[in-house]
Amino acid sequence: MAFDTAAGRTKNLDGSHNRLCSKIFTLVVGSEKKVFLSHEVVLSQSPVFERMCNGSFKENVEKQIELPDDDENIFECMLEYMYRGVFHGVETPTQSVRASMMADLYIMAEKYQLSGLKELLIPPLASILDDTSNAECIECFFHAAHKIYENTPDSEVLFPDSYKKEVAQILGYRNQNPYIESQIKRCIFDGGKLAQDTFDAILSAKDKIIDRICSRCYEQIYQTRQDFCMRCRERLR
């Protein structure tokens, strides 16, 4: 099975034949320099790898790509998706590690422009919030959100759209679990696009927390992405 690079989705082609005719590249990944072998036709699903494999770069000449900044375990998950077109999840002993690894995989998918993998990761990331009474689940989701926002460009929209939808939905449960509101406040206090999108989620849910923020702080956070004044910090506590 081969893949449509532009759409990031599987395409009905004779993958075995394409791989037999495809060049083999060696990928050296991470600080431990773990070695992976992959076919050019598979790597070329990523526009980033496609340029390396076909351009006038040393990677194409040497048939070797070095990726010292990538985590080898996360890369292996991404490579499995590129070959199989599916995401089987991340098997870890704890929810926090699982959420963190899915966030890392999403960041890597953004880095290598694999929109199909990003789409597959949205549902399992959102499902972390299925148990709104569980403080650990709430913390894991927002930790993953912080990581994704910090390591993807502001132009990235897929996860932010899902984030705003999920936050708007769980706002109604914050009286049952005060930890929800504390995490939302933290997102706002951190500023940046995460604060802006958190505000969007609150507004879409018509949440009354807005009433406790002065107009100056609202404008600063929402438009210039700065921080709250001390007075509004106290009113939000």
Side-chain angles (χ1 to χ4, degrees), residues 5-237:
T5 303
R9 292 181 177 143
T10 58
K11 196 175 185 180
N12 291 325
L13 296 174
D14 184 357
S16 299
H17 173 73
N18 279 275
R19 291 175 196 169
L20 285 173
C21 301
S22 177
K23 295 178 286 188
I24 299 291
F25 278 77
T26 300
L27 300 105
V28 183
V29 183
S31 57
E32 300 297 322
K33 297 186 177 181
K34 186 172 181 178
V35 174
F36 297 88
L37 299 178
S38 182
H39 297 84
E40 178 196 356
V41 69
V42 174
L43 292 174
S44 291
Q45 295 171 77
S46 160
V48 178
F49 286 131
E50 185 176 33
R51 288 191 292 271
M52 291 182 183
C53 295
N54 295 291
S56 55
F57 302 104
K58 72 171 186 176
E59 289 86 356
N60 188 22
V61 175
E62 299 175 358
K63 301 296 180 289
Q64 179 167 309
I65 300 173
E66 296 188 6
L67 306 169
D69 297 328
D70 290 339
D71 180 276
E72 54 267 26
N73 295 319
I74 302 301
F75 184 85
E76 187 171 5
C77 291
M78 184 181 77
L79 194 60
E80 180 184 6
Y81 161 78
M82 295 174 79
Y83 268 94
R84 299 178 181 274
V86 295
F87 173 66
H88 292 297
V90 178
E91 296 297 329
T92 63
T94 66
Q95 175 77 289
S96 61
V97 175
R98 176 174 171 268
S100 182
M101 288 185 69
M102 285 196 295
D104 288 336
L105 184 55
Y106 188 95
I107 293 164
M108 189 176 287
E110 167 65 23
K111 176 181 178 180
Y112 293 111
Q113 302 175 29
L114 294 169
S115 59
L117 177 54
K118 287 164 55 179
E119 290 176 7
L120 288 177
L121 285 165
I122 292 296
L125 281 166
S127 71
I128 298 171
L129 286 177
D130 284 350
D131 186 359
T132 55
S133 64
N134 189 320
E136 182 186 5
C137 290
I138 301 300
E139 182 176 10
C140 288
F141 174 79
F142 282 102
H143 175 75
H146 276 274
K147 181 179 282 192
I148 291 172
Y149 270 90
E150 288 173 0
N151 293 280
T152 56
D154 286 354
S155 58
E156 207 285 312
V157 296
L158 191 59
F159 179 79
D161 284 348
S162 174
Y163 169 81
K164 287 183 283 188
K165 178 182 176 182
E166 296 303 321
V167 170
Q169 288 179 347
I170 67 168
L171 281 170
Y173 297 95
R174 71 182 190 284
N175 292 330
Q176 302 171 25
N177 185 354
Y179 199 66
I180 293 175
E181 188 161 351
S182 69
Q183 288 292 315
I184 288 174
K185 289 176 183 177
R186 180 190 166 204
C187 292
I188 295 172
F189 290 157
D190 284 351
K193 190 172 186 296
L194 180 58
Q196 179 182 348
D197 286 349
T198 303
F199 263 114
D200 283 342
I202 293 171
L203 284 171
S204 68
K206 296 181 174 61
D207 194 85
K208 292 183 179 179
I209 194 173
I210 290 295
D211 297 335
R212 289 181 274 164
I213 301 171
C214 70
S215 58
R216 174 182 172 275
C217 281
Y218 176 82
E219 183 175 345
Q220 283 191 337
I221 289 289
Y222 190 74
Q223 295 184 9
T224 64
R225 304 179 185 178
Q226 297 177 16
D227 209 346
F228 285 104
C229 67
M230 291 302 297
R231 183 180 178 184
C232 283
R233 281 180 176 271
E234 291 301 319
R235 292 169 71 183
L236 281 167
R237 292 187 189 282

